[in-house]
Amino acid sequence: MKRMAFTLVELLIVIIIIAIFAALAIPKFSSSTKQSKEASLRANLKLIREAGDRCETDTGQTVDLPFLASATPPATGWVRGPMGTNWTQ
C-alpha cells in the first residue's frame, strides 16, 4: 500500500509562497489604518463645521474653531448661556 504524503521540499515551497504573499499584503493593511483615521477626522471636522453653522443660524453669533479648541469643559459640564459668555462654571 502506497502512502500519499507531502515531501519536505513541497512544504518548504508552500511556506515560502505564503511568506511572499504576507510580505506583499502587510504594507497594504498598515496604510489602511492611516486612511481610516484620516476619513474619521474629515467626518468629525465636517460635523463641527455644521454645528457651528447651525449655532450661528440660531444665535446670530459666530463660533470660531480656535475658541472651541482652547476651551476645555469643566468636570461638571458646560454652562448653558448666550454666546460670548465664558461657558465654564
Side-chain angles (χ1 to χ4, degrees), residues 31-52:
S31 67
S32 68
T33 302
K34 182 180 177 184
Q35 291 172 348
S36 66
K37 287 180 182 179
E38 288 174 355
S40 174
L41 176 63
R42 274 190 235 106
N44 288 339
L45 287 174
K46 182 179 177 184
L47 288 174
I48 290 171
R49 287 186 188 114
E50 289 175 356

Side-chain angles (χ1 to χ4, degrees), residues 7-80:
T7 64
L8 183 60
V9 174
E10 291 171 333
L11 290 175
L12 287 175
I13 290 172
V14 169
I15 290 172
I16 290 171
I17 291 172
I18 291 172
I20 290 171
F21 284 145
L24 293 173
I26 288 174
K28 300 277 185 187
F29 290 121
S30 65
S31 67
S32 68
T33 302
K34 182 180 177 184
Q35 291 172 348
S36 66
K37 287 180 182 179
E38 288 174 355
S40 174
L41 176 63
R42 274 190 235 106
N44 288 339
L45 287 174
K46 182 179 177 184
L47 288 174
I48 290 171
R49 287 186 188 114
E50 289 175 356
D53 291 342
R54 288 186 188 125
C55 183
E56 184 176 1
T57 303
D58 291 343
T59 64
Q61 295 182 356
T62 306
V63 179
D64 57 341
L65 288 179
F67 170 74
L68 291 175
S70 65
T72 55
T76 57
W78 292 98
V79 175
R80 304 245 181 232

